[in-house]
Amino acid sequence: MSKPMVELVSVTKVYTANVIALEDVSLEVDTGEISFLIGMSGAGKTTLLKLICGVESPTAGYIGVGGRNINQLRPREIPGLRQDIGMAYQDFKLLPERSAAQNIAMSMEVAYKNTSTIKRRVKDLLERLKLEEKHDTPVSNLSRGEQQRVAIARAVANSPSLILADEPTGNLDPMTTEVVMDLLEQCNDAGATIILATHDEAIYRHTKHKVMKLHLGKFQNCNS
Amino acid sequence: MSKPMVELVSVTKVYTANVIALEDVSLEVDTGEISFLIGMSGAGKTTLLKLICGVESPTAGYIGVGGRNINQLRPREIPGLRQDIGMAYQDFKLLPERSAAQNIAMSMEVAYKNTSTIKRRVKDLLERLKLEEKHDTPVSNLSRGEQQRVAIARAVANSPSLILADEPTGNLDPMTTEVVMDLLEQCNDAGATIILATHDEAIYRHTKHKVMKLHLGKFQNCNS
Amino acid sequence: MKPLLIAVIQAGRNFRYTWGSQIMTLLTVSLSVLIFSFFFLIYTNVMKAGVNLGGDLRLAVYFEEEPLPEMITRLKKKITDFREVDKIIYVSKDEAYNRLSQHLGEDIDVLANINPMFLPPSLEVYPPKDLKNLSQIKLFSEYLTKLPGAIKVQYGQGWIKRFDYFTKLLRIIVILSGGLLILTATFMVAYTVRLTVVARQEELKILRLLGATNNYILMPFLLEGLFQGFCGSALGLLSLGILYSWVKDRFYSPSFFEFFEFSFFSHTIIGIILLASIALCIGGSVTSMRRFLKV
Amino acid sequence: MKPLLIAVIQAGRNFRYTWGSQIMTLLTVSLSVLIFSFFFLIYTNVMKAGVNLGGDLRLAVYFEEEPLPEMITRLKKKITDFREVDKIIYVSKDEAYNRLSQHLGEDIDVLANINPMFLPPSLEVYPPKDLKNLSQIKLFSEYLTKLPGAIKVQYGQGWIKRFDYFTKLLRIIVILSGGLLILTATFMVAYTVRLTVVARQEELKILRLLGATNNYILMPFLLEGLFQGFCGSALGLLSLGILYSWVKDRFYSPSFFEFFEFSFFSHTIIGIILLASIALCIGGSVTSMRRFLKV
Ligand SMILES: Nc1ncnc2c1ncn2[C@@H]1O[C@H](COP(=O)(O)OP(=O)(O)OP(=O)(O)O)[C@@H](O)[C@H]1O
Ligand SMILES: Nc1ncnc2c1ncn2[C@@H]1O[C@H](COP(=O)(O)OP(=O)(O)OP(=O)(O)O)[C@@H](O)[C@H]1O
Ligand SMILES: [Mg+2]
Ligand SMILES: [Mg+2]
């Protein structure tokens, strides 16, 4: 058995005294796996993903990504880790005045990728997500669903080995959802581990992949 | 038959030369009705709702709300119209540093409602949406689904006669979705007309209400 | 509920959320008022300083021979006809000698072997305080030289010339720096106010979308402008007052203030400065907000 | 691809998106440099002006009797022993009479009936240019009064005193306004730079989230700081140069500049100002960015 890509041991995250977002959560996601993270609004899904990519730090517990304790990294190692994790945020975190293409390119630019490689990759992603016409449109002029696709494209653009998608289809109709899921599956085929937080039953109901259910900050009857 | 609450006649909205969001759209929504607006991402749902509440102005065509042409209102009449339309934006448009309660109160404050009335109404809404614990939490510290509920609460708080809900359940799990739909239906019972743009098949699949489907800026086989 | 009360509540709430930038604006206004009033104070006092220096001016018209008394009266009339003067004193040869001997004091014996009549008689003309301009003095002196019997007019030409240039230089400096500073102050206040509005543009847009009237949006800004304009300029004037009394204490010597009679602003001017900065702050916010009111 | 090239591209792109605030920063830097160097220029020149005024100073020591030639030599030595002087000229009674008659010119006949010997002999002492302080002059004059046979020392006390106070006043004004202005300029630059960073804080946060290294984030800001510091101060100095030559042209009269020898900055000082403002701009952005680099 290969080393788990993501490993959480008794992780607790307390925001403020009365907001305990995660309580004693343990979890293991193997390399190359796709897992679904479900649970009610406010259950702690986003918090869990943020802990994994190191945007938030845990109140207690161990978080390992690729076998390394991400909370003991030296400051100069953090950029490398983040370049290797693609996170599609629930609130997108796009730059509204920049074009769709520029937003997607950002994740590759910070890794000092070649300009022509970036251009090709951006164009390819936009085509796959049916946004080819929005190449130069500022993100603020896109519909919400189009913005969501740009956010997903940016997350996968740099071919990270771990993709965290937070509610990637919340603003998408069933057809477009399928397009996005196809893209994520292709990334998975190319070797990426994927954790997908979602409310959309249609996505995970008949899946063969692992589904983890959070409830009030704790895991409930996970299937596997 | 009563006068239609919302009436669109041959409305066209062109953002830029090659982005025709709506093309020759006509529609009628009667007072007290609930209608669903569906369609692919980028079909023009948000644009249509924005036209109805006067945030965007049409390139061509007539838009009537409550029997008045909203594009010929005098500047001083616009605030009154907006106070009477509750719109839950797809991107929420909340003030992140303000508390959930303050965000909800805003829509009543601009109508110079009584302070105690506002307090009572806000508390009631937060309880109904299961957010009573988040009364004083800044919106930026809420989960995305919690923010969405705050946005909906703000839209209905001032008891408007027309409620426009743009994808109100995109970030909500099925259970919370039901809570929100119950609230909207109660508003409808109290006399409000509701137009609801959504991708969530679960909401509109078995409904008895009107479903309108937009495709590339035009209506397709509406049921009624 | 009354709109004004709501506006006060709103303004208070806004202050809680944006106190950082509000205090920044207040400080900017203070600094601008300080700078502006500092230069205004210097300017008004420098203008007065010229007058005081001119006050010590005395033109001595020397005559070849002692004129007859009626001639003196005529001469005096001629002078006052040409230009109003403070006073004219006739100094006869005797008086000139007396003065010199007084001046020499104990050293009176120097004059022992001197003919007391060697000193020329003169008319000493004290021009009015407002004659402080070098070219005017020259003109006057030229006129006096042409009086019948006059042989020479003396008034410390060299020093006065120098003084005149010095005063001119000081004025150039004060005016240029004043201009520069008023430019800067206006720029700063306008910029800061604009930034405050831009920082809240999200909030304003949302308020418009929710159906807020122009009044609802404007009132808190007006109150804020009032508050900031008042407190800012009060603070600025207060600092200037402290600076002023510090300088006065620090550099005070009776002889210093004999020449430069520095004084602080009158109550009227303080009032005008306060009102002007309140108007500026309010005007600034309202102008920068105008485009939001059209949405 | 080289990081520097990427930084240049990024800086260019940033400029396209934020040119408004960038030009604002540039103007702020220009204005601050203009203000600062304006006062620096005035300060250095005012300090020099005092010296030039002192250069015309002459102390006349009057004697009761004409001293013998060897006595004159001894007196001169005594004086130079006490303090270095530019030159000392002995004016005998004859010479004093000649001077007076020359001075009176055509009016020489006034002196006709005067004993040519009534004027006292004197030593005219021209102190060095650096003697410009009133108290030093007084000290010197007191020393001269005690010379054997001296009865009186004259040097236009009243005017010199006034001049001294005037210069003092000018210096107080220049120093105070300079201080005030440097405060303002620093405040403005710091504030503007901070605002530029705050305006882009969203972008910086996102870049950090995407895994941008410190270098990647800092480099464009360094380039921008370099550009703004350089262009801003160049523009400021240029405006000052234009202002300078305008004032020079406008108020030029040979006699004016006889007293005040204004001159512009040397190349070294221009270089230092340029470098300092570049350092300030870069330092400013880097400091305000530090907290984003920790995220
Ligand atoms: N920055 C924060 N400060 C304080 N509390 C927070 C913060 N972020 C989240 N919370 C709280 O932590 C809990 C879990 O939030 P989280 O965002 O992880 O939920 P979620 O499962 O992603 O919900 P949703 O489906 O609505 O996005 C919520 O109660 C939320 O209010
Ligand atoms: N401000 C704008 N400027 C230019 N184009 C715009 C603007 N807003 C929307 N569009 C374009 O108009 C079309 C319709 O947008 P709209 O937001 O109405 O779609 P939608 O049906 O709400 O989609 P979604 O389900 O993704 O929210 C899209 O192609 C979008 O890119
Ligand atoms: Mg979430
Ligand atoms: Mg939409």
Side-chain angles (χ1 to χ4, degrees):
Chain A
M1 214 190 97
S2 69
K3 259 217 297 230
M5 185 69 188
V6 177
E7 191 179 7
L8 271 72
V9 182
S10 319
V11 170
T12 298
K13 173 68 187 177
V14 180
Y15 281 113
T16 56
N18 59 342
V19 182
I20 302 162
L22 291 175
E23 206 182 336
D24 198 21
V25 166
S26 298
L27 122 91
E28 225 171 80
V29 175
D30 289 327
T31 308
E33 215 181 332
I34 296 188
S35 346
F36 292 94
L37 192 61
I38 64 168
M40 268 181 63
S41 172
K45 303 180 292 299
T46 301
T47 305
L48 187 60
L49 295 183
K50 281 185 178 168
L51 286 174
I52 293 171
C53 71
V55 172
E56 295 276 0
S57 47
T59 312
Y62 164 88
I63 301 174
V65 174
R68 299 200 299 171
N69 184 340
I70 62 161
N71 293 115
Q72 283 176 5
L73 290 179
R74 272 169 294 155
R76 50 166 54 235
E77 291 177 317
I78 293 176
L81 175 81
R82 290 194 181 155
Q83 285 174 20
D84 204 34
I85 301 179
M87 171 116 175
Y89 290 91
Q90 201 170 5
D91 51 358
F92 309 165
K93 297 202 195 294
L94 300 171
L95 287 177
E97 325 88 50
R98 305 270 170 116
S99 73
Q102 279 175 350
N103 267 284
I104 298 172
M106 272 172 80
S107 68
M108 286 176 282
E109 279 169 0
V110 299
Y112 292 113
K113 284 275 157 71
N114 200 300
T115 314
S116 56
T117 316
I118 294 177
K119 269 194 187 149
R120 231 178 307 119
R121 178 81 171 143
V122 167
K123 217 160 165 247
D124 175 52
L125 281 169
L126 283 174
E127 258 165 42
R128 285 220 237 163
L129 293 168
K130 301 191 180 160
L131 289 172
E132 56 270 39
E133 281 174 17
K134 304 292 181 187
H135 189 279
D136 296 322
T137 310
V139 162
S140 61
N141 287 354
L142 293 181
S143 85
R144 197 78 191 154
E146 288 160 353
Q147 289 176 11
Q148 184 151 48
R149 281 173 277 165
V150 172
I152 293 161
R154 190 184 65 185
V156 305
N158 199 30
S159 309
S161 49
L162 176 61
I163 297 172
L164 306 175
D166 198 355
E167 197 80 63
T169 59
N171 290 280
L172 299 179
D173 56 290
M175 255 178 68
T176 318
T177 298
E178 211 158 296
V179 171
V180 169
M181 291 309 295
D182 283 349
L183 175 65
L184 288 176
E185 258 156 42
Q186 263 174 42
C187 293
N188 180 241
D189 291 342
T193 310
I194 298 180
I195 303 180
L196 211 152
T198 189
H199 295 301
D200 195 344
E201 279 188 72
I203 302 181
Y204 64 83
R205 204 181 303 132
H206 305 297
T207 189
K208 55 186 195 313
H209 300 296
K210 184 155 115 182
V211 176
M212 303 173 286
K213 184 168 184 184
L214 269 174
H215 186 66
L216 297 177
K218 288 181 192 161
F219 276 122
Q220 242 182 7
N221 53 346
C222 314
N223 80 335
S224 63
Chain B
M1 215 192 95
S2 69
K3 258 218 296 235
M5 184 69 187
V6 178
E7 191 179 7
L8 272 71
V9 182
S10 321
V11 170
T12 299
K13 174 70 187 175
V14 181
Y15 281 113
T16 57
N18 59 341
V19 182
I20 302 162
L22 290 175
E23 207 182 335
D24 197 22
V25 166
S26 298
L27 119 93
E28 226 171 81
V29 176
D30 288 328
T31 308
E33 216 180 330
I34 295 188
S35 349
F36 291 93
L37 193 60
I38 64 167
M40 269 182 63
S41 173
K45 304 179 291 299
T46 301
T47 304
L48 187 62
L49 296 183
K50 281 186 178 166
L51 286 174
I52 293 171
C53 72
V55 173
E56 296 276 1
S57 48
T59 313
Y62 165 88
I63 301 175
V65 174
R68 299 201 298 171
N69 184 341
I70 61 162
N71 293 115
Q72 285 177 3
L73 289 180
R74 272 169 296 156
R76 50 165 54 235
E77 291 177 315
I78 293 176
L81 175 81
R82 289 194 181 154
Q83 286 174 20
D84 204 34
I85 301 180
M87 170 116 175
Y89 291 91
Q90 202 170 4
D91 51 358
F92 308 166
K93 297 201 195 294
L94 300 171
L95 287 178
E97 325 87 52
R98 306 270 170 116
S99 72
Q102 279 176 350
N103 268 284
I104 298 172
M106 272 172 78
S107 68
M108 285 176 283
E109 279 170 359
V110 299
Y112 292 112
K113 285 275 157 69
N114 201 301
T115 314
S116 57
T117 315
I118 294 178
K119 269 193 188 151
R120 231 179 306 118
R121 177 80 171 144
V122 167
K123 220 162 160 245
D124 175 52
L125 281 170
L126 283 174
E127 258 165 42
R128 285 220 235 164
L129 293 169
K130 301 189 180 162
L131 289 173
E132 55 271 39
E133 281 174 17
K134 306 292 183 188
H135 189 279
D136 296 322
T137 310
V139 162
S140 60
N141 286 355
L142 294 181
S143 86
R144 196 78 190 157
E146 288 161 353
Q147 289 176 10
Q148 184 151 50
R149 280 174 278 165
V150 172
I152 293 162
R154 190 184 64 185
V156 305
N158 199 29
S159 310
S161 48
L162 176 61
I163 296 173
L164 308 175
D166 198 355
E167 197 81 61
T169 59
N171 291 280
L172 299 178
D173 57 290
M175 255 178 69
T176 318
T177 297
E178 211 159 294
V179 170
V180 169
M181 290 310 295
D182 283 349
L183 176 66
L184 288 176
E185 256 155 41
Q186 263 174 42
C187 292
N188 181 241
D189 291 342
T193 310
I194 297 180
I195 304 180
L196 211 152
T198 188
H199 295 302
D200 194 346
E201 278 189 73
I203 302 181
Y204 64 82
R205 203 178 306 130
H206 305 298
T207 189
K208 54 188 195 312
H209 301 296
K210 183 154 114 183
V211 177
M212 304 173 286
K213 183 166 183 184
L214 270 174
H215 185 69
L216 297 177
K218 289 180 192 164
F219 276 121
Q220 241 181 8
N221 52 344
C222 315
N223 81 335
S224 64
Chain C
M1 215 150 94
K2 281 179 205 145
L4 187 66
L5 184 61
I6 292 198
V8 171
I9 293 174
Q10 253 184 299
R13 198 194 282 163
N14 286 344
F15 187 78
R16 258 205 298 145
Y17 286 105
T18 57
W19 61 269
S21 73
Q22 298 232 17
I23 286 185
M24 216 64 183
T25 313
L26 206 143
L27 282 183
T28 311
V29 174
S30 302
L31 204 58
S32 305
V33 168
L34 174 60
I35 288 173
F36 171 80
S37 50
F38 175 76
F39 272 89
F40 189 56
L41 192 63
I42 287 180
Y43 182 79
T44 48
N45 277 300
V46 162
M47 289 302 157
K48 250 194 309 187
V51 180
N52 284 345
L53 290 166
D56 285 333
L57 192 64
R58 190 199 63 180
L59 292 100
V61 191
Y62 292 99
F63 294 90
E64 202 164 351
E65 291 296 326
E66 294 213 339
L68 299 174
E70 57 267 42
M71 185 57 183
I72 293 171
T73 323
R74 268 187 51 213
L75 283 170
K76 283 186 180 175
K77 195 179 170 314
K78 272 196 116 163
I79 294 171
T80 45
D81 277 356
F82 179 74
R83 167 176 271 286
E84 234 183 298
V85 294
D86 268 12
K87 60 178 175 187
I88 304 175
I89 293 172
Y90 175 66
V91 182
S92 66
K93 287 192 177 211
D94 276 354
E95 277 162 337
Y97 182 77
N98 285 345
R99 278 199 189 177
L100 183 59
S101 53
Q102 257 177 27
H103 190 68
L104 290 171
E106 304 175 355
D107 308 314
I108 183 92
D109 38 343
V110 191
L111 300 173
N113 54 351
I114 289 179
N115 176 352
M117 282 335 212
F118 79 90
L119 291 169
S122 62
L123 270 180
E124 292 188 339
V125 182
Y126 293 86
K129 297 242 169 198
D130 64 342
L131 184 80
K132 54 177 194 271
N133 190 297
L134 182 61
S135 61
Q136 280 180 316
I137 295 174
K138 265 191 186 154
L139 216 72
F140 196 23
S141 130
E142 268 161 28
Y143 176 78
L144 292 177
T145 317
K146 289 187 198 120
L147 286 179
I151 48 167
K152 199 170 154 50
V153 176
Q154 266 196 337
Y155 58 89
Q157 284 90 333
W159 288 109
I160 290 213
K161 215 167 167 184
R162 250 172 250 193
F163 242 124
D164 189 64
Y165 284 128
F166 214 67
T167 318
K168 231 183 222 164
L169 178 73
L170 187 61
R171 274 184 211 157
I172 295 175
I173 291 178
V174 167
I175 290 171
L176 281 186
S177 25
L180 210 59
L181 278 173
I182 289 168
L183 188 77
T184 313
T186 314
F187 174 88
M188 273 172 71
V189 171
Y191 188 40
T192 314
V193 167
R194 209 187 136 264
L195 282 168
T196 316
V197 173
V198 166
R200 263 144 76 180
Q201 101 183 48
E202 209 43 44
E203 183 187 340
L204 296 183
K205 273 189 201 159
I206 291 175
L207 281 174
R208 289 306 284 175
L209 291 180
L210 294 177
T213 56
N214 283 356
N215 256 349
Y216 186 89
I217 292 180
L218 268 180
M219 284 288 276
F221 276 88
L222 291 186
L223 285 177
E224 263 169 40
L226 191 82
F227 176 79
Q228 282 172 349
F230 181 79
C231 292
S233 51
L235 200 69
L237 285 171
L238 193 74
S239 326
L240 185 67
I242 292 171
L243 193 69
Y244 172 76
S245 57
W246 179 77
V247 168
K248 208 161 183 172
D249 284 2
R250 179 91 174 62
F251 297 94
Y252 187 79
S253 70
S255 46
F256 190 99
F257 285 92
E258 182 187 310
F259 299 120
F260 309 102
E261 216 183 291
F262 257 77
S263 60
F264 204 65
F265 295 129
S266 66
H267 290 297
T268 323
I269 289 183
I270 290 180
I272 290 174
I273 291 178
L274 283 177
L275 285 181
S277 49
I278 290 174
L280 226 146
C281 284
I282 292 182
S285 0
V286 172
T287 317
S288 1
M289 284 189 54
R290 198 169 291 158
R291 66 195 170 108
F292 293 107
L293 298 182
K294 284 185 193 142
V295 181
Chain D
M1 215 149 97
K2 281 181 203 142
L4 188 66
L5 184 61
I6 292 196
V8 171
I9 293 173
Q10 253 183 299
R13 200 193 281 163
N14 286 345
F15 187 79
R16 259 205 298 146
Y17 285 104
T18 57
W19 62 268
S21 73
Q22 299 233 17
I23 286 185
M24 216 65 181
T25 314
L26 206 143
L27 282 183
T28 312
V29 173
S30 303
L31 204 57
S32 305
V33 168
L34 173 60
I35 287 172
F36 171 80
S37 50
F38 175 75
F39 272 89
F40 189 57
L41 191 64
I42 286 180
Y43 182 80
T44 48
N45 278 300
V46 162
M47 288 302 156
K48 250 195 307 188
V51 180
N52 285 344
L53 289 167
D56 285 333
L57 192 64
R58 190 198 65 180
L59 292 99
V61 191
Y62 293 97
F63 294 91
E64 201 166 350
E65 293 293 330
E66 292 213 340
L68 299 173
E70 57 265 43
M71 184 57 180
I72 294 171
T73 323
R74 268 186 51 211
L75 284 171
K76 283 186 179 176
K77 196 178 171 311
K78 274 194 117 167
I79 295 172
T80 44
D81 276 358
F82 179 75
R83 168 177 269 286
E84 234 182 298
V85 295
D86 267 13
K87 57 179 176 186
I88 305 177
I89 294 172
Y90 175 65
V91 182
S92 66
K93 287 190 180 211
D94 278 353
E95 275 160 340
Y97 183 78
N98 286 345
R99 278 198 191 178
L100 182 59
S101 54
Q102 255 175 30
H103 191 67
L104 290 172
E106 303 177 354
D107 308 313
I108 183 93
D109 38 343
V110 190
L111 299 172
N113 55 351
I114 289 180
N115 176 350
M117 280 338 212
F118 80 90
L119 291 168
S122 62
L123 270 180
E124 293 187 340
V125 182
Y126 293 86
K129 298 241 167 199
D130 65 342
L131 184 79
K132 56 178 192 272
N133 190 298
L134 182 63
S135 62
Q136 280 180 316
I137 295 174
K138 264 190 185 155
L139 215 73
F140 195 24
S141 131
E142 269 160 30
Y143 175 79
L144 293 176
T145 317
K146 288 187 200 121
L147 285 178
I151 48 168
K152 198 171 156 48
V153 176
Q154 267 195 338
Y155 58 89
Q157 284 89 333
W159 289 109
I160 290 214
K161 214 166 166 185
R162 252 172 247 193
F163 241 124
D164 189 62
Y165 284 128
F166 213 68
T167 318
K168 232 183 221 164
L169 178 74
L170 187 61
R171 273 185 211 157
I172 295 175
I173 291 178
V174 167
I175 289 171
L176 281 185
S177 24
L180 211 59
L181 279 174
I182 289 168
L183 187 76
T184 314
T186 314
F187 174 87
M188 273 172 70
V189 171
Y191 188 41
T192 315
V193 167
R194 207 186 138 264
L195 281 167
T196 317
V197 173
V198 166
R200 262 145 75 182
Q201 99 185 50
E202 211 40 48
E203 184 187 339
L204 296 182
K205 273 189 199 158
I206 291 175
L207 282 175
R208 289 305 285 174
L209 290 180
L210 294 177
T213 56
N214 284 356
N215 256 348
Y216 186 89
I217 292 180
L218 268 179
M219 285 289 276
F221 276 88
L222 291 186
L223 286 177
E224 263 169 39
L226 191 82
F227 175 78
Q228 282 172 350
F230 181 79
C231 292
S233 50
L235 200 69
L237 285 171
L238 192 73
S239 325
L240 184 66
I242 292 171
L243 193 69
Y244 172 76
S245 57
W246 179 77
V247 168
K248 208 160 182 173
D249 284 359
R250 179 91 172 59
F251 296 93
Y252 188 79
S253 70
S255 45
F256 189 97
F257 284 93
E258 184 185 310
F259 300 119
F260 309 103
E261 217 183 289
F262 257 76
S263 60
F264 204 64
F265 294 129
S266 66
H267 290 297
T268 323
I269 290 185
I270 290 180
I272 290 174
I273 292 177
L274 283 177
L275 286 181
S277 48
I278 290 174
L280 227 147
C281 284
I282 292 182
S285 1
V286 172
T287 316
S288 357
M289 285 190 53
R290 197 170 293 160
R291 64 195 171 109
F292 293 107
L293 299 182
K294 284 185 193 143
V295 182

